[in-house]
Amino acid sequence: MSKRVRILGMEIDNHTIREMMFLLDEYVNSDGLNLAGVVTADLLMTASENPDIRQILEHMDMHIIGDATILEVLEETYEQQVGEVQRRDLEEVFLNSLISKRKKVYWISDSENDMPALQDYMQQNYPKLNIAGSYMGDMNEENIDSIVNEINGVVPDVILFQTDLLSRLKLFIQYRNQLNAKLCICMGYRIKSKYWSPNRNSKIKTLIDQTMFKRKVVRYQMNHKG
């Protein structure tokens, strides 16, 4: 199954929820660690100028478009995907799938401050999700060994990563062959958005980022005609 679109010189996957769930289910039942992650307009702008971030995108087994702005700049119309992205359907479908199939999850978040609100949200909405272990806080070269050892002690099916810093996944790429898990999925802050309301400054920044992305795509297309 290969459905890819090209933006700013990079190819990313463009799947419906049904197609993504088919692939994620395959990953969770496969051998070896598969990497999947949410891709936003801001991330693509960064990757177009940062070779390290671009390389991480290339190492992913599946991209999850998490920003309807990306779909809006494409020449073809993807109404179904736009609606699914805007409603953030994947989180609910994926987490409920993990519950029904009794999969074990290890949760990582780069913000300790999110812990109380995250726990409340998950308890209210996904009380049967088997979170066998978690790590909250900064992840770097100094503590990655201890985190990997803790994950391997739990032997989760899925490592669920809540962060917008895709650079953190570089460490997991380096330790890919040492981790006893089937899928590492970077959800960005999409789950956080369910229990956290952005302030006015955050909303303004998002609008600015979306405008900058659209302008950047137009400039790229003009410079690469023919």
Side-chain angles (χ1 to χ4, degrees), residues 8 37 39 50 59 66 70 77 79 124 133 145 168 172 176 181 206 221 224-225:
L8 297 177
V39 177
N50 186 321
H59 273 88
I70 295 173
T77 302
E79 293 183 4
Q124 290 177 20
D145 284 329
R168 301 280 173 84
F172 276 77
R176 190 169 191 166
T206 298
Q221 291 171 339
H224 292 79
K225 278 186 177 180

Side-chain angles (χ1 to χ4, degrees), residues 7-223:
I7 301 177
L8 297 177
M10 295 169 286
E11 285 193 349
I12 60 172
D13 300 308
N14 179 25
H15 297 299
T16 63
I17 293 291
R18 184 175 181 177
E19 292 164 345
M20 281 190 283
M21 285 304 304
F22 177 84
L23 289 170
L24 290 172
D25 187 56
E26 280 196 338
Y27 293 156
V28 172
N29 292 287
S30 67
D31 294 324
L33 181 66
N34 298 277
L35 299 176
V38 168
V39 177
T40 63
D42 185 50
L43 176 60
L44 288 178
M45 285 195 293
T46 301
S48 69
E49 300 172 359
N50 186 321
D52 288 339
I53 300 300
R54 186 173 185 140
Q55 189 176 46
I56 292 172
L57 281 176
E58 292 171 352
H59 273 88
M60 282 186 177
D61 297 291
M62 186 177 76
H63 308 107
I64 300 167
I65 294 180
D67 188 338
T69 309
I70 295 173
L71 296 166
E72 291 168 1
V73 301
L74 298 175
E75 292 183 1
E76 294 185 49
T77 302
Y78 296 95
E79 293 183 4
Q80 180 178 348
Q81 286 95 317
V82 168
E84 291 173 344
V85 170
Q86 290 175 336
R87 293 190 303 271
R88 308 194 176 216
D89 291 344
L90 179 63
E91 293 76 17
E92 181 178 351
V93 175
F94 179 59
L95 293 177
N96 280 323
S97 173
L98 294 179
I99 292 171
S100 65
K101 295 174 181 176
R102 299 182 179 181
K103 298 299 182 182
K104 194 186 302 183
V105 175
Y106 187 93
W107 195 292
I108 297 178
S109 174
D110 59 4
S111 176
E112 294 182 63
N113 295 330
D114 289 342
M115 187 67 164
L118 174 62
Q119 287 178 326
D120 287 344
Y121 173 79
M122 297 304 292
Q123 184 58 40
Q124 290 177 20
N125 295 275
Y126 307 100
K128 294 183 180 180
L129 183 64
N130 183 6
I131 301 178
S134 64
Y135 176 83
M136 303 283 170
D138 190 28
M139 192 178 73
N140 51 53
E141 294 282 358
E142 295 180 358
N143 61 15
I144 183 63
D145 284 329
S146 62
I147 297 173
V148 168
N149 288 336
E150 183 174 335
I151 291 172
N152 287 344
V154 171
V155 194
D157 298 290
V158 177
I159 301 169
L160 211 159
F161 213 149
Q162 179 169 287
T163 180
D164 268 350
L165 300 175
L166 198 63
S167 56
R168 301 280 173 84
L169 275 185
K170 187 174 183 179
L171 294 170
F172 276 77
I173 292 172
Q174 294 171 356
Y175 283 81
R176 190 169 191 166
N177 295 327
Q178 300 177 37
L179 283 160
N180 293 329
K182 304 297 185 182
L183 170 67
C184 176
I185 180 167
C186 184
M187 300 296 288
Y189 283 128
R190 292 169 64 77
I191 293 177
K192 179 178 179 178
S193 69
K194 301 282 189 175
Y195 60 83
W196 174 77
S197 298
N199 57 33
R200 184 171 180 271
N201 289 338
S202 296
K203 292 179 180 178
I204 292 174
K205 182 182 182 305
T206 298
L207 290 174
I208 292 173
D209 288 344
Q210 291 172 345
T211 301
M212 289 176 60
F213 174 71
K214 291 179 180 179
R215 289 176 179 173
K216 190 176 183 72
V217 171
V218 170
R219 286 197 302 270
Y220 182 90
Q221 291 171 339
M222 291 179 64
N223 293 334

